[in-house]
Amino acid sequence: MEPILPRLPADIWTVPYAGSRFPGAATVADQPGLTAGGNCQLFAYEVLRLFGLTPPPLRSSELWDDTDTTVRVSAPQPLDLLLFNASASAYGAHVGVWAGDDAVLHLCAEVGHPTVWGLADFEARERYRVLVGTKRVTASGAAWGPGGSKPP
């Protein structure tokens, strides 16, 4: 796979952190995409969509438990989702996108806009010190309907 970071559109780097814009939020249903900002999950999912993947609109613990459209993997590959937290719990975990070569693309309140950290950068912060695990999206665009709703 070609490197991910150089293939991202320039405006992705200016997306503001907006904690109230998360998967399933009314603000996202009213204004999809990242123009009004997003939290870590919304940002990561939109990045995956740029590369043709369609992740489910799940919060962290739901994502970790999901087996319909994602699988847990032991070694990350580009476009896999990494979950970080202060403990091994997936509840409230921070989500980033593995970009390869110890590079995790993510959006956090601390920085305020998308950035790339290595695994040691996460370990150095109490709130992100534990890598809960890695998930790979296995579903294509047909798995989820408009607005992220699962088809009947």
Side-chain angles (χ1 to χ4, degrees), residues 1 4 7-9 12 21-25 28-29 31-35 37-59 63 69-70 78-81 95 97 105 137-150:
M1 171 179 270
I4 294 166
R7 296 170 49 203
L8 293 170
I12 201 81
R21 290 187 46 82
F22 54 86
V28 175
Q31 188 177 4
L34 295 172
T35 304
N39 78 341
C40 63
Q41 297 147 350
L42 186 66
F43 176 77
Y45 299 164
E46 291 295 326
V47 167
L48 295 188
R49 284 184 185 90
L50 290 172
F51 292 92
L53 295 172
T54 307
L58 303 174
R59 302 302 301 268
L63 171 65
T69 58
T70 63
L79 299 177
D80 283 347
L81 299 168
V95 177
V97 177
L105 172 66
V137 174
T138 58
S140 66
W144 294 87
S149 61
K150 194 169 186 178

Side-chain angles (χ1 to χ4, degrees), residues 29-108:
D30 293 342
Q31 188 177 4
L34 295 172
T35 304
N39 78 341
C40 63
Q41 297 147 350
L42 186 66
F43 176 77
Y45 299 164
E46 291 295 326
V47 167
L48 295 188
R49 284 184 185 90
L50 290 172
F51 292 92
L53 295 172
T54 307
L58 303 174
R59 302 302 301 268
S60 301
S61 57
E62 297 166 331
L63 171 65
W64 188 241
D65 291 339
D66 175 65
T67 57
D68 291 334
T69 58
T70 63
V71 295
R72 294 180 188 183
V73 295
S74 58
Q77 293 181 5
L79 299 177
D80 283 347
L81 299 168
L82 279 70
L83 286 79
F84 298 92
N85 210 344
S87 71
S89 173
Y91 183 83
H94 182 66
V95 177
V97 177
W98 184 255
D101 297 326
D102 191 35
V104 180
L105 172 66
H106 68 113
L107 177 61
C108 66

Side-chain angles (χ1 to χ4, degrees), residues 110-131:
E110 177 181 337
V111 177
H113 57 80
T115 191
V116 177
W117 289 353
L119 294 175
D121 296 309
F122 288 94
E123 291 173 8
R125 290 164 170 85
E126 182 66 26
R127 67 175 13 150
Y128 305 132
R129 67 182 174 84
V130 176
L131 174 59

